[in-house]
Amino acid sequence: MFNWFKKDIDKEDKENGGILDKLKSGLAKTRKDMSNKIEDILSGYKGVDDELFDDLEDVLVSADVGVGPTMKIIQGLRESVRENRITDPMEVKELLKDEIKSLMIKSVTSNNLELEPHPSVVLVVGVNGVGKTTTIGKMAYSFKNSGKKVLIAAGDTFRAAAIDQLEEWSRRSGVEFVAHKEGSDPAAVIFDGIQAAKARKTDILICDTAGRLHNKSNLMNELNKIFRIVDREYENATKEILLVLDAATGQNAINQARVFKEVANITGVILTKLDGTAKGGVAIALQTELNLPIKMIGVGEKIDDLQPFEVDSFIDAIFD
Ligand SMILES: Nc1nc2c(ncn2[C@@H]2O[C@H](COP(=O)(O)OP(=O)(O)O)[C@@H](O)[C@H]2O)c(=O)[nH]1
Ligand SMILES: [Mg+2]
């Protein structure tokens, strides 16, 4: 498994306030919403009955967990309450957390980025404004800090500003950068990125892409050209196709994921902007309803505000 951080996630990192602390503060809005509502419900009941389950169901659905996953979670919860002979409503919360965790874990094979063996190529896709370029900057920084040789390719050639923005991130993260002029063919940029990666013995090539999602066939055409180049020119590279989604868009993020999943073999999701939203529950829907592994999460705009996704710590952070 690729060692994402130099430090263990559980170990306190005093300099930046600790990874778990940052996760908790990044998820504060979701926690406030989800956890408070659940506690209000549980404290309002004297026993565990059907009405309590219905109320919990409403909270999950309103937190963008999705109707399908919510049904499964509540069904599982009912069974485990029965099996464990739980009569105190306050004990239901831990069981609910366990249900969500186990459903998430069994819905995907792994939440780890698969970047080895090197060389590897990471294609970053998603609609405009979700945080692709920012996330690439954060990833580049993180990979570089773990000792990797990284190169980024500016495959969003639609606006000059997008190329400049990525160049700025490459400067900040201290990694190399390949770009063409505004308006040039994105596939040609990726081609050059691959040649440069080979020549420079790069471990990880990260490619930005344009996010103009006019319609499905347009999206398919743009991505296909890039996929063909990568397959032809970098056949043996380990590949990740990461879909970036803005958590704040809730159901919209789910819809975008459906479209991209139909078009491309998405290997993972990066869920951004969790710090500004109470809709963190979309992570549960993405992973359990669409079987898309969340691989990383964005919890702020700074260069170190990107974390590997881990079911246990994520669910603990939104419930405790
Ligand atoms: N608060 C917050 N803002 C983010 C995060 N990720 C990206 N952004 C902001 O989202 C905006 C759009 O990001 P950008 O990378 O340009 O999106 P792109 O169009 O997909 O490349 C920028 O203002 C970023 O600073 C995050 O995790 N948290
Ligand atoms: Mg961009």
Side-chain angles (χ1 to χ4, degrees):
M1 187 195 113
F2 178 72
N3 191 7
W4 177 264
F5 278 103
K6 285 197 281 187
K7 318 157 197 78
D8 199 285
I9 187 164
D10 293 324
K11 282 193 194 130
E12 202 68 10
D13 175 8
K14 299 230 162 54
E15 283 148 42
N16 61 21
I19 293 165
L20 285 178
D21 284 352
K22 189 172 273 180
L23 177 66
K24 282 198 142 182
S25 67
L27 290 171
K29 288 191 177 161
T30 299
R31 174 172 60 255
K32 202 159 170 269
D33 202 59
M34 189 97 105
S35 191
N36 288 2
K37 279 184 188 162
I38 286 174
E39 255 155 46
D40 282 353
I41 290 169
L42 296 178
S43 62
Y45 281 88
K46 290 207 171 58
V48 182
D49 59 21
D50 278 347
E51 226 178 298
L52 185 152
F53 289 115
D54 289 346
D55 282 353
L56 290 176
E57 203 171 284
D58 291 345
V59 174
L60 295 182
V61 171
S62 73
D64 288 288
V65 172
V67 174
T70 296
M71 295 303 185
K72 280 192 198 158
I73 291 162
I74 297 297
Q75 178 62 30
L77 182 64
R78 281 176 185 273
E79 283 162 23
S80 101
V81 161
R82 204 180 312 121
E83 278 165 22
N84 292 287
R85 300 171 195 277
I86 299 297
T87 52
D88 178 0
M90 294 319 278
E91 286 178 44
V92 172
K93 190 175 167 186
E94 277 308 309
L95 295 183
L96 175 62
K97 275 171 57 181
D98 290 345
E99 278 308 316
I100 295 174
K101 287 178 182 177
S102 76
L103 185 61
M104 287 184 86
I105 288 165
K106 71 182 176 209
S107 298
V108 299
T109 26
S110 160
N111 288 103
N112 297 329
L113 272 183
E114 305 296 345
L115 298 174
E116 284 174 9
H118 294 319
S120 49
V121 56
V122 179
L123 296 177
V124 179
V125 302
V127 307
N128 269 338
V130 290
K132 290 183 299 300
T133 305
T134 307
T135 301
I136 290 169
K138 294 171 178 175
M139 276 199 283
Y141 174 76
S142 182
F143 294 158
K144 189 182 179 233
N145 274 349
S146 59
K148 302 298 176 186
K149 193 160 161 49
V150 183
L151 178 69
I152 52 189
D156 180 0
T157 58
F158 194 57
R159 294 166 305 134
I163 302 171
D164 295 344
Q165 186 195 358
L166 193 65
E167 185 166 24
E168 172 60 22
W169 276 109
S170 85
R171 201 188 52 71
R172 254 185 254 171
S173 56
V175 311
E176 292 177 78
F177 172 73
V178 170
H180 287 188
K181 288 199 308 289
E182 174 187 4
S184 56
D185 180 2
V189 180
I190 307 302
F191 179 90
D192 276 3
I194 293 169
Q195 306 317 320
K198 285 177 178 171
R200 300 174 199 180
K201 306 228 179 315
T202 297
D203 296 315
I204 306 168
L205 170 66
I206 313 174
C207 305
D208 200 1
T209 64
R212 290 173 304 143
L213 174 57
H214 302 311
N215 58 55
K216 209 153 69 180
S217 67
N218 169 284
L219 173 72
M220 214 175 316
N221 289 339
E222 286 204 9
L223 293 179
N224 252 341
K225 256 177 108 173
I226 293 174
F227 295 160
R228 278 208 309 272
I229 292 289
V230 176
D231 275 341
R232 196 182 72 205
E233 301 297 323
Y234 224 9
E235 201 188 333
N236 296 323
T238 304
K239 298 172 186 77
E240 282 269 13
I241 307 175
L242 300 178
L243 173 63
V244 180
L245 298 168
D246 174 350
T249 62
Q251 280 306 306
N252 237 326
I254 307 282
N255 294 336
Q256 287 164 22
R258 282 189 209 284
V259 173
F260 274 88
K261 206 186 157 198
E262 274 179 48
V263 167
N265 180 19
I266 304 296
T267 56
V269 164
I270 302 177
L271 195 57
T272 61
K273 310 192 199 183
L274 281 161
D275 51 304
T277 182
K279 295 180 191 284
V282 292
I284 303 169
L286 287 166
Q287 183 150 324
T288 61
E289 199 168 18
L290 301 184
N291 303 102
L292 285 168
I294 317 282
K295 297 209 163 174
M296 281 175 289
I297 52 173
V299 291
E301 292 183 275
K302 293 197 302 296
I303 202 160
D304 56 355
D305 287 335
L306 184 74
Q307 300 201 343
F309 179 83
E310 203 264 314
V311 169
D312 266 319
S313 51
F314 183 87
I315 297 301
D316 288 346
I318 61 178
F319 279 94
D320 295 335

